[in-house]
Amino acid sequence: MTTPDTSTDNAGLEILGRDECLRLLAAAPLGRIVFTHNALPAVQPVNFVVYGMDIVIRTSATSRLASATRDTVVAFEVDDFDVDARAGWSVTVVGNGRAVTDPEERADLERLPLHPWAPGDRSHFIRVETKVITGRRIPKETPGTAAG
Amino acid sequence: MTTPDTSTDNAGLEILGRDECLRLLAAAPLGRIVFTHNALPAVQPVNFVVYGMDIVIRTSATSRLASATRDTVVAFEVDDFDVDARAGWSVTVVGNGRAVTDPEERADLERLPLHPWAPGDRSHFIRVETKVITGRRIPKETPGTAAG
């Protein structure tokens, strides 16, 4: 492992600072929650809101997502890429996913502007308590990509 | 668990057939590979090509992604959502991720139109052997989303 400089990782990608990661995360309309289901990796797109440093998702209490994230470490990813420019950014959170069961906390979260896109009952809240947030960018100015 | 009908899952999402999943996967410019790194869930956007039923990704041999996917089960996700319409689709593959080391197989993969977006040496091929492919759609016609 080589030591990256302050702004570029050892894969040549620009490292985004924490504030920029949080700004991009908060502005993203949709993210992908990554979890384990039946001992296999699983991923699901969801809409969400950022609440303090945490991510809040609404789903059905009987969903695969709800069952698999009651008390476990999950990842959450947002990105935006310009395919023509072959450039863009991604931000990933790793944190504790948990079901929200406390009535006061639930009442707080119900006031958030969080309206699931999918139909049906979505009365279950998942809260991801952000522990680590990281981001990378492929800038538009990158010259041609070398391949070995 | 209720029994879904043939075209809608128990979350009310439209279930995409295998052929449609493969078509959407093959046409997607970018996906996200989901793996485990240091016993934590990890996710990384990558460009890719579909080769037969498999997914081929190029990265650096020293990358976190390369180390974590030499012989393990991974997930791979593509999606496309229309934020204004609150509609879109996602397709997820689960399969065996492995490093390509056979010289003949490498030579085959080097002929693919796979040009990494990120800079630097990307001479390591990861092949995800698709075992399961599933997809869901939130159709544009969905009436207002109910929340419990």
Side-chain angles (χ1 to χ4, degrees), chain A residues 24-91:
Chain A
L24 291 166
L25 177 69
L30 189 99
R32 296 153 201 99
I33 186 163
V34 170
F35 55 103
T36 300
H37 178 67
N38 292 342
L40 292 174
V43 50
Q44 186 172 319
V46 287
N47 65 319
F48 69 102
V49 293
V50 174
Y51 183 58
M53 285 283 294
D54 297 348
I55 290 157
V56 181
I57 298 160
R58 260 182 117 132
T59 186
S60 152
T62 59
S63 65
R64 180 187 73 149
L65 179 59
S67 328
T69 57
R70 284 184 193 280
D71 186 17
T72 187
V73 177
V74 301
F76 189 81
E77 191 259 4
V78 295
D79 62 44
D80 190 22
F81 285 89
D82 176 335
V83 173
D84 294 325
R86 303 165 66 89
W89 57 265
S90 69
V91 168

Side-chain angles (χ1 to χ4, degrees), chain A residues 11-13 29-30 32 34 40-41 43 45 58 73-75 77 79 81 83 86 90 115-122 145-148, chain B residues 11-13 29-30 32 34 40-41 43 45 58 73-75 77 79 81 83 86 90 115-122 145-148:
Chain A
L13 304 184
L30 189 99
R32 296 153 201 99
V34 170
L40 292 174
V43 50
R58 260 182 117 132
V73 177
V74 301
E77 191 259 4
D79 62 44
F81 285 89
V83 173
R86 303 165 66 89
S90 69
H115 309 291
W117 295 10
D121 173 51
R122 304 274 155 182
T145 55
Chain B
L13 304 184
L30 189 100
R32 297 153 200 97
V34 170
L40 292 175
V43 50
R58 261 181 116 131
V73 177
V74 301
E77 191 258 5
D79 62 43
F81 285 89
V83 173
R86 303 166 66 88
S90 69
H115 309 290
W117 296 9
D121 173 52
R122 304 273 157 184
T145 55

